[in-house]
Every structure is written in structure tokens, then in C-alpha cells.
Amino acid sequence: MAIAVPQTTELDISQTIDWLKQKYPDAVHDDTRQGFGGVVVDKSMLVEVAQAIRDDLGFDYLSSATAVDYLGISDHMEMVYHAYRTTGGPALVFKAQTDREKAEIPSLVDVWLGADFQEREAYDLYGIQFSGHPNLKRILLWDGFNGYPMRKDWQEAYFEQEHKPFDSRWPGGWVHRAEEKNVYGKNVRYPDDIDLARLSDTSEATLYSGLGLGVDVQELESDGLQTDRLVVNLGPHHPSTHGVFRMIVSLNGETIETLEPVMGYLHRNHEKIGERNSFLHNIPFTDRLDYLSSMGNNFGYVLAVEQLLAQGARYQPPTYRAEVIRVLMAELTRIVNHLWSLGFLLNDLGAFFTPMLYANNEREKILDFFEATAGSRLMCNYMRFGGVFADLPERIHSVANLVNDKVRDYNTMEYLAQMITERLPRFLEEYGRLLVGNEILRERTINVGVLPHDLAIALSTCGPLLRGSGVAYDVRRADPYSIYPELDFDIPVGVNGDIYDRFMVRFQEIHESLRILKQLLPRLEQTKGEEVVTKVGHTPRVPVGEAYGRVENPKGELGFYVVSEGDEKGPQNPWRYHVRAPSFINLTALGPMCRGYKVADVVTVLGSIDIVLGETDR
């Protein structure tokens, strides 16, 4: 008997789950754990069920694939997948579980290409083998790294305790550095089968051989090789790579045949740190991810934790004024990011620093406001569970620290109104007049770095990279949060999916952010005097369960998957803290976008993705 497929696209997740359970009664069942949702899929049927989720149910966009280690709770590992429809609506959450001792789960790369880097990350940090993955190797750590650091039983050389605050720092305050208690030279661990006396790093040869170049790298180093094919390294220490990032490019003449992104030079295991911090202590760590978008990072994380807090009896949601201020900060952050991105894309094209400095001059005015409100210009630790840290100040005021310092003293609302209604629109008009029709810009970007519509979705790209390919998918509209449903704005999209379209999408998004900000000004006046933070507490008791909070950050969807074990006896720490980083996942598209173009185009294609390595590597 045929099972009817649910046709509606609005809030039909329960119908969707019922359909899956009827179609696969032996393979799909509800996740009945307290505070958890979605379904658990038998891993032997995972690929078939995933294909049905994509093809029959229309969940064409795999947003997040997260590994979790439940050692000490149920002693298994699992992968948690969040799939969405690009037409909009909430997530379908499905999970696959595996034994820790022989951790293996089928790869979903053949279903959603966007699972590629995310599965490699889970393999790298958790040791889960993904059968069928076309290129399963470490992605953030070097090949000789010992162990899988996100597992619950892994301890680093300078390990002190599982959770912060450490006893060495609190409550007595007798602080010492762990390095002082560890003999020099014992801070690195190698696998047991490595003989340090004969250590030979083969990771480079392994990396090249995995590219399928058809070139013997050892032969490339010989003097007598005569070939038109070359393997070229761009980075990691090169201005054009926007940070410590490397691209291995194989060239036939000047034409790119393959490109492999190599990251991890900045990896500091942000998520491991996050699981040792308390929930509250993680807020300033989110600032350091995409350090150009710290307010948006704060926003995504507090939304995730507030989903968990909302399951408790005492939770009070943020006030309306707090939501208005959050959106104000998020949209100003979008402008800050895009001004920087547009300026440096033009710098990559050869317009050496002039367009960037013009854009940065306007960006600084927004940072003045951030500094007056949050106390910092770049990495703002401002949002809190239940609201924001403090209300907007009456005045933007500074003091002179050095001779000839300019002292700022403005009425905050007048300053905002002038910036939003006069200064930024005037700047955008001039910037657009000078650049949008510029013949050099158009020659270097139109029909270059093309990412087709369907491939952009399949690769799980997000933000301007996805919308530049004509996909009108924006979390603020597709799965709204905060007060975005009541605001009037459009979603700019491109047509060709090339560099120029991505440039124009960001340019138009600044206009749309200004449109939103103009709607917020009267709301700020109307809510003056209202509280901006509810009484959640400094160390809130977070109920047991899982949550996925996501926001439309300037670079795309930023998501936080958080699991709480609900410990009632002591300080609360996340059991799992995972960051769905848009810079990281968007790099999946870099190779396909560069193939067939010239080596001179690589820098521009990378610049059009707009990455920050603090978020990419975490």
C-alpha cells in the first residue's frame, strides 16, 4: 500500500516523522530521551532514509551534521543531522548511532554533497569512520595527531580538570599555569607506533596522493621533469588567503584542474573549550569565532541556550526592547561585515586598499556605537540569556587618552538616526556609483567562479554565496526568529552565481539592513525604559535536552547545537557544544567554483566567499 507524502511545507514536521515511521517501521523511531526530538535511524538504512528525506519529502538542504560522544551516559556515539527545505520551514532532525569501540556510520555525501567537510570533521575529532566517503582524512589536525580530541575520555597534555572554573583559579585564587607543572618536551603526544628517532612526516605525500592529480609529487621535485602540469601551493602565509589558509592547486598551463583547501593552522579546539566552560562563560568565546561579526555570534548562541531554558518552569523570555536591540546589533553587524568584505574583495582584484579604506571609514562609525554600548569595538561580549548586558547609553562619550585625541560626545539616538538615515545611505550611493559599473570589476567577476543553483544547495552553502546563485534562502525569512517576522525587507539574489552576483548581493543586503534599521528606530523610542534582561541568573540551571539555535549571520547560517545533561548539583556545562560555521562549510564549494578558471581567478573566488579563519578552524 502506497503511503501518501505530506504536501504542505509549513510546520508539518510531525506529519513528516509519521510518514517516515510508516515507510520504514523497522529503521526509524522517535527519539524518546527527555528534552530530545526528531528520529533515530538505523545506520544500516541511513542512506536510503536520507534519500527519501531529500527526494520524497523535499528536504534538499543539509544544514548541520554534528557528532556527539555519550560516554558515561549511554556509551554510544551519534551523528545528528538538521535538514531543511529551501522553500522554508523548520528542521527535520534525524540521528544515527554507533558503538564507540568501532565507530562507523555510512557517509551521506552521495545524498548531500555538503556533508563532505562536516563528516571529515567528525572523523578528525571523534574518530567516526564514514563508509563510502570519497576523501576521508583529517581536516583540522595533522595526520600524526594522537587520538580524537573531542571524545570524552581524551585529555590533553596540560589537562587540569573536566570543567571550569578550575580549582587552581577559584575560589582561593591561587593561580598557576598548567605548563609550570609539566616537564618541557612532554606537551606533545605521538601515537605509540611512531619511532621519534626515525620520524618522517608523510602527511604531505598523503595529501597530494589523495587529490587524484595523476602526478607523482616526488618526481615533481626532480630536476629533469618536463611537463606543463604543475602543483602550486597558495598559502598558508600569504595575504591573498585571508589568514593562515592554504590551497593546493593543480594547473594545466594556467588553467585550474583541481583545488584542495587545507585548513586547521589556526585550530584551537574551540568546542572542547566550550564543553569545559559553563554555559554563561561561552558567550565571550563566541566573539572570537568570526571576529568581524561578534554580535551575530552572541545572538546565535544565546538563542540555542534559551531554547533549553524555555523548557524550565521559571524561564522568562527576553523583553520586546531586548529583542529590538538584538536585531539592531545584528543588522549593524551585517553592515560592518559587508563593508569589510566588499573592500577586501576589491583589494584582491587589485584596487589596492583605496575602496577598503573608504568602506572602513563608515564601518568605524558603527564600531564607535558598539564601543559605547558593549565596551569593545571588535569582539563584543554583549548578549545574555534573557536579553542583553545593558541598555543603550544616553550618550556616546569618550575621553582623551592621548594628546590630540578626538573626544566624542553625541546623543545616542540622534547619532543612530543620522547614521542610518543620512550618512550610510549617502556613502552607499557614492560607493555604488564608483564601483557597480566599473569595467575592471565587471571583467574580472562576471561569469567567473560560477556556482550553479542546484550545486549551491547540494553543497550546503549559505549566506550571500547561496543567494548569489539565485536561491532566496535566508534564515530570517525561512525559519524566523526574534522580531524578524514583523519587519519588512527583501532577500536579494543573483542570477548567474558568479563573483559579481555575490558582490551585488552583499551590496544590496546593506540597503536592506538599513531598511530594517529605519523600522527599529521608532521601536527603540516606544520601548524606552523597558527592562533589557530578564532574571535568568548568572549560572542558570539548564534543563536536560538538545537545542539548535541558528541565525542568518553576514557570512551565512551560523548554528549552535547544544546538549545539556541537566546536572542539578553543580555548575552547568554543555555536554555538547558544536558550531555550524558558515566560513567552514562554504569552503566546500571553493574547489568546484575554481575548476576550469585561471590561477589569477583563485584569489578573487576565495575573496567572494568571504571567510574568517577564526571561524573556519575554530
Side-chain angles (χ1 to χ4, degrees), residues 27 88 106 119 121 152 230 262 272 281 285 305 363 390 484 537 544-545 553 571 587-588:
E119 288 181 352
E121 181 185 9
K152 290 296 182 181
L230 283 175
V262 182
K272 190 78 168 182
H281 290 161
F285 282 77
V305 178
R363 176 176 172 269
Y484 280 111
V544 64
N553 242 27
L587 281 171
T588 315

Side-chain angles (χ1 to χ4, degrees), residues 66-311:
T66 308
V68 188
D69 182 4
Y70 283 103
L71 176 66
I73 296 180
S74 56
D75 293 340
H76 72 272
M77 287 190 185
E78 74 179 29
M79 286 294 294
V80 183
Y81 304 91
H82 289 77
Y84 293 88
R85 295 183 174 108
T86 50
T87 53
L92 173 60
V93 183
F94 61 101
K95 301 154 187 178
Q97 299 177 344
T98 180
D99 294 334
R100 293 184 81 256
E101 296 306 314
K102 190 179 179 182
E104 185 173 354
I105 291 175
S107 172
L108 294 185
V109 171
D110 288 341
V111 183
W112 292 286
L113 291 171
D116 184 357
F117 282 14
Q118 299 187 72
E119 288 181 352
R120 283 179 60 189
E121 181 185 9
Y123 162 72
D124 194 2
L125 303 182
Y126 283 87
I128 299 175
Q129 296 284 338
F130 290 92
S131 54
H133 192 287
N135 189 25
L136 192 63
K137 60 189 177 188
R138 289 196 184 269
I139 190 168
L140 296 175
L141 304 172
W142 73 294
D143 288 347
F145 188 88
N146 184 28
Y148 305 102
M150 285 302 297
R151 289 196 177 205
K152 290 296 182 181
D153 55 357
W154 188 89
Q155 296 177 352
E156 70 276 16
Y158 290 142
F159 175 80
E160 285 192 61
Q161 290 172 254
E162 283 294 336
H163 294 144
K164 296 178 182 177
F166 296 153
D167 292 342
S168 64
R169 291 145 173 83
W170 180 89
W174 299 105
V175 179
H176 71 268
R177 293 168 53 222
E179 292 88 336
E180 296 168 5
K181 306 255 182 187
N182 197 324
V183 179
Y184 178 75
K186 299 295 184 183
N187 60 324
V188 178
R189 295 179 180 176
Y190 297 96
D192 294 335
D193 57 351
I194 285 185
D195 180 359
L196 292 180
R198 299 183 176 182
L199 180 62
S200 175
D201 181 13
T202 60
S203 57
E204 284 299 291
T206 303
L207 180 61
Y208 287 119
S209 63
L211 290 174
L213 303 174
V215 177
D216 188 330
V217 178
Q218 304 304 320
E219 283 189 26
L220 285 174
E221 297 175 356
S222 66
D223 296 331
L225 183 66
Q226 298 295 323
T227 179
D228 291 330
R229 301 189 72 228
L230 283 175
V231 177
V232 176
N233 271 287
L234 296 176
H237 299 292
H238 193 284
S240 70
T241 57
H242 292 244
V244 279
F245 175 71
R246 174 180 165 211
M247 294 173 283
I248 301 176
V249 185
S250 68
L251 300 173
N252 191 343
E254 287 193 35
T255 303
I256 298 163
E257 293 189 336
T258 61
L259 184 147
E260 172 85 358
V262 182
M263 59 199 79
Y265 296 98
L266 203 63
H267 180 64
R268 59 202 184 277
N269 220 340
H270 174 95
E271 296 177 11
K272 190 78 168 182
I273 296 171
E275 291 173 12
R276 290 184 179 162
N277 288 335
S278 71
F279 281 97
L280 181 67
H281 290 161
N282 270 335
I283 295 176
F285 282 77
T286 66
D287 314 342
R288 276 77 178 164
L289 290 165
D290 176 3
Y291 40 78
L292 301 176
S293 305
S294 61
M295 291 285 196
N297 304 344
N298 287 179
F299 203 178
Y301 176 63
V302 298
L303 284 180
V305 178
E306 283 172 356
Q307 288 179 32
L308 291 170
L309 290 170
Q311 300 177 32

